[in-house]
């Protein structure tokens, strides 16, 4: 049998030109951005792997749907379409749209958490935990230990450790645990999935104790694909069926449509309890907008309704994760230390392993992300101590075990050729890793500091030493 290459299951109708910059230009852009890739301008970026959030390419059907926006203040047709799709695909009867995922987290945290409560979760997510803390709750990580080990090959590194959950509930009492927040997949563990069996066990544990189970459904479609591929007995089911099975085990979900659902903006809170939904509908008016638009235009609601349907198509999800796997494979071949197994939305570089000469107090992952931009114009994101922030009680830096740089792949935006360029850029930087310098803060904001902090290199003028006599690197294109 002859080999048959993989190809994207779409063809290109509109293109957006991108530009390669010189090493000298990138050096200046980095300095102006305080060595924080969040503060770089998009137009100075060659391949933008900062995030998969809101960066998807919409389909022709979604763009056509945008023209069908019913921009009524109340009762827009597009709201009812979205409600129908969420009920069908995710199975939550009550839908409260929000401008994005954190809007839903805000409403949920305000409704369910009382000061002094405890909220367990399978690893923290930045905005999720902050909303829990602002509502007076304390977050507790109850993910399995394997999630914190970048070398563990566990197929479901997102799983909840039931023993950890039980120990917490026994310690604080079930009445101080309003809900368990289960993310599928787990972003900060490297896009790692949970198994259906694990979520079923969590639900069975929580139900008799009166503890709700809330799904962070942001990448639950990607999680469903992993279940289809890896969980015994699931091969014969569609991704859509598995997604529904995941949701059926939970009492509600917060959703960022900017990830799985292939839109640039949008989110929602899905619930089963009509009484709780009525309260959420009242609160959404205060923070987002009327309950039939939740801070979104009618056209945004329509694009999300269509995007949800496209997101569960088997061809789409297979190629989406296949592209991420491909990049992970190429980096592994080059000997670059990455989190294994590769997750659904991103390849995570193990910055602590890559840069052992930079102490954790000089933020190796922040330095690696900056150096990658200097080297290649590829923009990535820090996911380590800078993202973890400070402990609200002690004020000390939190040093999570994982010190990572995330190469996040937008959906339907880049081709396999772009992935080759990225792999070659990272491999080149890996060879020159001793030339990367650590960073120190020059400005540190109070909330979610990773977004807006600025830095300066420690003991050097640049984050990545220039190559001998070669300021201008050749573009990444090689002539075949
Ligand atoms: C992005 C994200 C959120 C927050 O959603 P926004 O749309 O960015 O507000 C919540 N949870 C997870 C796992 C996410 O990745």
């Amino acid at each position: 049998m002859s080999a048959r290459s993989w190809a994207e299951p779409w063809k290109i109708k509109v293109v957006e030109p991108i530009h390669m910059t010189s090493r000298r230009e990138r050096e200046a852009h980095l300095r102006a951005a305080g060595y924080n890739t969040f503060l770089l301008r998009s137009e100075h970026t060659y391949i933008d792997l900062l995030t998969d959030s809101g960066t998807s390419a919409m389909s022709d059907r979604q763009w056509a749907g945008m023209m069908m926006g019913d921009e009524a203040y109340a009762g827009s047709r597009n709201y009812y379409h979205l409600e129908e799709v969420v009920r069908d695909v995710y199975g939550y009867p009550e839908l409260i749209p929000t401008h994005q995922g954190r809007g839903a987290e805000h409403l949920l945290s305000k409704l369910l958490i009382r000061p002094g409560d405890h909220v367990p979760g399978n690893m923290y997510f930045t905005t999720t935990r902050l909303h829990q803390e602002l509502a007076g709750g304390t977050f507790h990580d109850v993910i399995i230990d394997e999630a914190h080990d970048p070398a563990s090959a566990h197929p479901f590194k997102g799983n909840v450790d039931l023993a950890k959950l039980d120990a917490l509930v026994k310690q604080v009492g079930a009445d101080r645990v309003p809900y368990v927040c289960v993310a599928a997949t787990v972003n900060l563990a490297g896009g790692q999935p949970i198994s259906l069996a694990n979520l079923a066990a969590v639900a069975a544990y929580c139900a008799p104790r009166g503890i709700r189970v809330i799904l962070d459904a942001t990448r639950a479609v990607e999680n469903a694909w992993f279940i289809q591929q890896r969980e015994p007995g699931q091969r014969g089911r569609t991704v859509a069926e598995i997604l529904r099975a995941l949701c059926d085990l939970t009492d509600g979900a917060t959703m960022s449509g900017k990830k799985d659902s292939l839109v640039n903006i949008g989110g929602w809170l899905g619930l089963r309890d009509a009484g709780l939904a009525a309260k959420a509908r009242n609160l959404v008016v205060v923070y987002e907008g009327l309950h039939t638009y939740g801070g979104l235009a009618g056209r945004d609601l329509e694009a999300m309704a269509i995007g949800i349907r496209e997101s569960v198509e088997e061809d789409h999800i297979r190629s989406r994760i296949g592209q991420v796997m491909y990049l992970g494979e190429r980096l592994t071949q080059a000997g670059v230390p990455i989190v294994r197994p590769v997750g659904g939305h991103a390849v995570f570089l193990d910055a602590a392993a890559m840069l052992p000469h930079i102490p954790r107090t000089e933020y190796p992952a922040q330095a690696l992300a900056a150096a990658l931009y200097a080297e290649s114009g590829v923009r990535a994101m820090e996911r380590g101590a800078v993202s973890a922030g400070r402990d609200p009680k002690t004020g000390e830096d939190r040093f999570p075990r994982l010190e990572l740089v995330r190469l996040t792949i937008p959906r339907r935006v880049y081709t396999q050729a772009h992935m080759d360029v990225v792999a070659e850029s990272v491999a080149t930087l890996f060879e020159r890793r001793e030339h990367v310098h650590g960073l120190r803060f020059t400005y540190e904001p109070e909330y979610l500091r990773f977004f807006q902090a600025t830095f300066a290199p420690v003991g050097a003028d640049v984050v990545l030493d220039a190559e001998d006599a070669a300021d201008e690197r050749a573009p990444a294109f090689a002539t075949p």
Side-chain angles (χ1 to χ4, degrees):
M1 199 181 81
S2 61
R4 196 61 59 90
S5 288
W6 173 90
E8 290 80 6
W10 33 260
K11 55 184 179 173
I12 297 166
K13 192 173 323 214
V14 176
V15 297
E16 177 182 345
I18 52 176
H19 306 283
M20 185 65 174
T21 45
S22 72
R23 173 70 194 272
R24 193 190 297 260
E25 286 167 340
R26 291 194 295 277
E27 211 67 78
H29 296 324
L30 258 185
R31 196 163 300 137
Y35 299 88
N36 184 346
T37 53
F38 277 102
L39 301 179
L40 287 166
R41 290 188 189 204
S42 161
E43 62 187 337
H44 296 153
T45 301
Y46 178 44
I47 298 175
D48 201 350
L49 305 186
L50 184 71
T51 174
D52 64 331
S53 178
T55 54
S56 296
M58 292 210 296
S59 67
D60 51 357
R61 285 178 290 173
Q62 285 176 293
W63 279 108
M66 296 281 281
M67 288 304 292
M68 303 294 278
D70 173 7
E71 307 305 342
Y73 190 91
S76 158
R77 166 176 76 229
N78 313 115
Y79 167 78
Y80 294 103
H81 183 201
L82 180 66
E83 182 185 58
E84 174 202 309
V85 170
V86 170
R87 281 179 180 165
D88 186 33
V89 176
Y90 289 90
Y92 301 110
E94 307 285 346
L95 170 77
I96 296 99
T98 57
H99 76 287
Q100 57 185 81
R102 70 198 67 182
E105 292 170 347
H106 179 208
L107 300 179
L108 186 83
S109 300
K110 264 193 136 41
L111 284 172
L112 292 183
I113 300 172
R114 294 166 302 155
D117 278 354
H118 299 268
V119 187
N122 51 347
M123 204 173 267
Y124 83 100
F125 183 73
T126 53
T127 57
T128 318
R129 182 176 65 189
L130 183 58
H131 279 301
Q132 292 164 358
E133 290 174 351
L134 290 173
T138 304
F139 166 82
H140 297 267
D141 187 2
V142 294
I143 203 166
I144 58 173
D145 286 340
E146 286 86 343
H148 295 279
D149 176 4
S152 162
H154 194 292
F156 293 104
K157 284 168 98 171
N159 279 355
V160 171
D161 185 328
L162 272 287
K164 286 185 193 170
L165 177 60
D166 185 48
L168 175 73
V169 171
K170 288 214 170 95
Q171 188 202 326
V172 303
D175 58 326
R176 297 314 331 236
V177 181
Y179 61 94
V180 181
C181 177
V182 184
T185 60
V186 183
N187 192 343
L188 273 83
Q192 302 294 331
I194 59 167
S195 70
L196 202 49
N198 183 252
L199 187 60
V202 171
Y205 176 87
C206 289
R209 291 169 175 82
I211 301 171
R212 286 188 166 96
V213 179
I214 300 292
L215 186 68
D216 182 337
T218 296
R219 296 185 186 79
V221 178
E222 292 174 4
N223 198 115
W225 184 85
F226 282 115
I227 288 172
Q228 185 195 56
Q229 299 300 308
R230 295 180 186 167
E231 191 159 347
Q234 300 296 328
R235 263 292 164 129
R237 298 173 91 184
T238 65
V239 165
E241 284 166 349
I242 297 168
L243 174 69
R244 204 35 211 276
L246 279 170
C247 296
D248 285 350
L249 292 165
T250 67
D251 299 290
T254 57
M255 178 69 188
S256 170
K258 301 173 70 172
K259 324 290 172 58
D260 268 352
S261 308
L262 299 162
V263 287
N264 306 122
I265 193 73
W268 46 263
L269 174 63
L271 295 168
R272 295 190 198 287
D273 180 336
L276 188 62
K279 287 186 187 161
R281 283 199 183 93
N282 191 209
L283 209 54
V284 77
V285 189
V286 181
Y287 294 105
E288 307 273 322
L290 192 68
H291 60 278
T292 56
Y293 76 86
L296 296 168
R299 54 180 172 270
D300 300 327
L301 298 167
E302 188 62 26
M304 186 153 58
I306 298 169
I308 289 171
R309 293 265 187 225
E310 292 180 358
S311 74
V312 293
E313 284 171 12
E314 302 278 322
D315 273 353
H316 160 71
I317 192 68
R318 189 185 316 113
S319 84
R320 187 285 183 280
I321 300 183
Q323 190 179 44
V324 180
M325 299 282 164
Y326 175 79
L327 177 61
E329 228 13 80
R330 287 222 45 185
L331 289 172
T332 301
Q333 282 162 12
V336 176
I338 63 170
V339 174
R340 310 280 306 174
V342 171
H345 66 296
V347 177
F348 288 71
L349 308 176
D350 186 346
M354 238 171 122
L355 305 174
H357 61 287
I358 299 180
R360 293 292 298 272
T361 50
E362 293 177 14
Y363 311 112
Q366 189 75 32
L368 185 63
L372 179 62
Y373 175 78
E375 164 63 31
S376 63
V378 172
R379 171 154 74 166
M381 181 198 291
E382 189 263 9
R383 281 279 113 129
V386 176
S387 292
R390 291 179 184 274
D391 187 294
K393 293 198 181 75
T394 68
E396 295 295 313
D397 264 345
R398 295 190 255 217
F399 289 108
R401 264 183 74 190
L402 300 180
E403 177 75 12
L404 308 175
V405 167
R406 192 178 82 180
L407 302 169
T408 336
I409 317 301
R411 296 166 185 79
R412 306 193 294 207
V413 171
Y414 294 116
T415 64
Q416 197 160 340
H418 291 105
M419 295 303 112
D420 288 336
V421 172
V422 172
E424 288 153 16
S425 301
V426 174
T428 306
L429 184 61
F430 182 55
E431 284 163 18
R432 304 194 62 231
R433 58 193 178 275
E434 280 121 51
H435 296 275
V436 180
H437 301 283
L439 296 171
R440 63 179 169 80
F441 276 101
T442 54
Y443 164 64
E444 184 181 346
E446 189 178 349
Y447 301 113
L448 303 176
R449 62 182 184 176
F450 57 95
F451 281 128
Q452 291 150 334
T454 58
F455 301 83
V458 178
D461 294 338
V462 288
V463 71
L464 174 67
D465 297 332
E467 269 177 300
D468 296 340
D471 173 58
E472 301 290 307
R473 284 182 56 73
F477 313 112
T479 317

